[in-house]
Amino acid sequence: MKRTDGRALHQIRPVKITKNYLKYPAGSALIEMGNTKVICTASVEESVPRWLKEEQGGGGWITSEYSMLPGASSQRSQREAAKGKVGGRTQEIQRLIGRSLRAVVDMDKLGSRTIWIDCDVIQADGGTRTASITGGFVALRLAVEKLIKENKLSETPILEPVAAVSVGIVAGTPVLDLCYEEDFAADVDMNVVMTRAGHFVEVQGTAEAKPFSEQEMKKMLALAGNGIRHLIAAQEKCF
């Protein structure tokens, strides 16, 4: 199989992460994966949701908001604010980003505060949710380092890095990091979130037509593991 952009089957798109991309957030990063570009910011709020106080009695919280700018794709998409509600896909992605980042943070050490991770897609070419998780972690870590510098935290609550990547089966072949054309034509589309230790946070896999086998799934997970190791190395270069 020949990929649309000439990459090898196991090859991730070119990755660039620019830290402190914006001036005002506690942490920010621009992540570029091929033609997909996402601005990720981390903002600190010195309080937690009321339900968290009632249910757990302490600890912090990490949550996320995600959006795609109207000009991020070839056809303008309407702002969800203009519709008066957040769509189901957006809600799903926001929850995925939040779960992924909370999985690698000790909430008790974070203290009674909330860190908001905002992910805004400025250009979309496949893999926007996985890029948001990878870039969101960099923004989160920058915000935590700022809290330590300001003596608001005595130690980092971050347990280990986390990143995410897409894999799939295109024309019967497992491939890593799908661009839009590949994602559109994929027989199987899967998103994998994994920590540096190789532990899974989440695996979202769907057969668009023909069901996939256990052997094919193992091949896709192996591809994802290699890709995520590459992404975590890119994250580490920011620090």
Side-chain angles (χ1 to χ4, degrees):
M1 172 195 163
K2 185 176 180 180
R3 304 189 70 174
T4 57
D5 53 10
R7 283 181 291 145
L9 302 178
H10 63 280
Q11 190 175 4
I12 207 164
R13 290 175 292 178
V15 180
K16 180 181 178 182
I17 304 176
T18 305
K19 69 175 182 178
N20 298 320
Y21 187 70
L22 298 180
K23 178 179 179 179
Y24 297 110
S28 67
L30 168 67
I31 180 167
E32 302 173 69
M33 293 190 65
N35 290 320
T36 289
K37 301 180 182 183
V38 186
I39 298 174
C40 305
T41 64
S43 304
V44 180
E45 184 178 319
E46 294 295 332
S47 62
V48 295
R50 182 176 177 181
W51 64 263
L52 184 65
K53 293 180 182 178
E54 294 173 350
E55 289 185 9
Q56 299 183 15
W61 189 245
I62 296 172
T63 191
S64 174
E65 290 190 1
Y66 166 97
S67 67
M68 188 176 295
L69 296 189
S73 57
S74 59
Q75 293 185 342
R76 183 186 187 277
S77 57
Q78 186 179 11
R79 295 182 191 272
E80 290 183 318
K83 300 177 184 178
K85 64 177 182 178
V86 176
R89 176 181 180 273
T90 298
Q91 291 183 41
E92 176 208 346
I93 294 174
Q94 291 178 166
R95 290 167 182 161
L96 173 63
I97 298 167
R99 287 195 302 270
S100 300
L101 298 178
R102 289 193 297 271
V104 294
V105 175
D106 185 326
M107 292 299 164
D108 290 332
K109 288 184 180 179
L110 181 59
S112 184
R113 56 176 55 88
T114 299
I115 298 182
W116 289 85
I117 306 296
D118 289 288
C119 302
D120 292 286
V121 180
I122 60 174
Q123 186 166 284
D125 185 32
T128 61
R129 72 183 69 193
T130 52
S132 295
I133 292 167
T134 303
F137 175 79
V138 173
L140 171 65
R141 181 169 166 182
L142 289 168
V144 165
E145 290 186 353
K146 184 176 181 182
L147 288 170
I148 293 173
K149 187 176 181 180
E150 294 173 344
N151 295 316
K152 294 179 180 179
L153 286 174
S154 59
E155 60 179 324
T156 181
I158 296 175
L159 304 173
E160 60 176 321
V162 67
V165 74
S166 66
V167 287
I169 297 177
V170 181
T173 305
V175 294
L176 174 64
D177 189 20
L178 281 63
C179 64
Y180 174 77
E181 289 84 358
E182 293 172 332
D183 184 48
F184 182 78
D187 301 317
V188 177
D189 180 23
M190 182 179 289
N191 298 303
V192 180
V193 186
M194 187 184 293
T195 69
R196 181 171 58 189
H199 296 153
F200 295 104
V201 176
E202 191 148 344
V203 177
Q204 299 179 335
T206 304
E208 300 294 343
K210 178 184 175 182
F212 55 98
S213 67
E214 181 179 352
Q215 184 179 11
E216 288 172 322
M217 183 169 183
K218 287 179 178 178
K219 288 181 180 179
M220 287 187 287
L221 292 178
L223 285 172
N226 290 332
I228 285 171
R229 282 188 284 274
H230 183 91
L231 291 170
I232 289 176
Q235 290 173 333
E236 291 298 317
K237 289 180 181 179
C238 294
F239 301 97

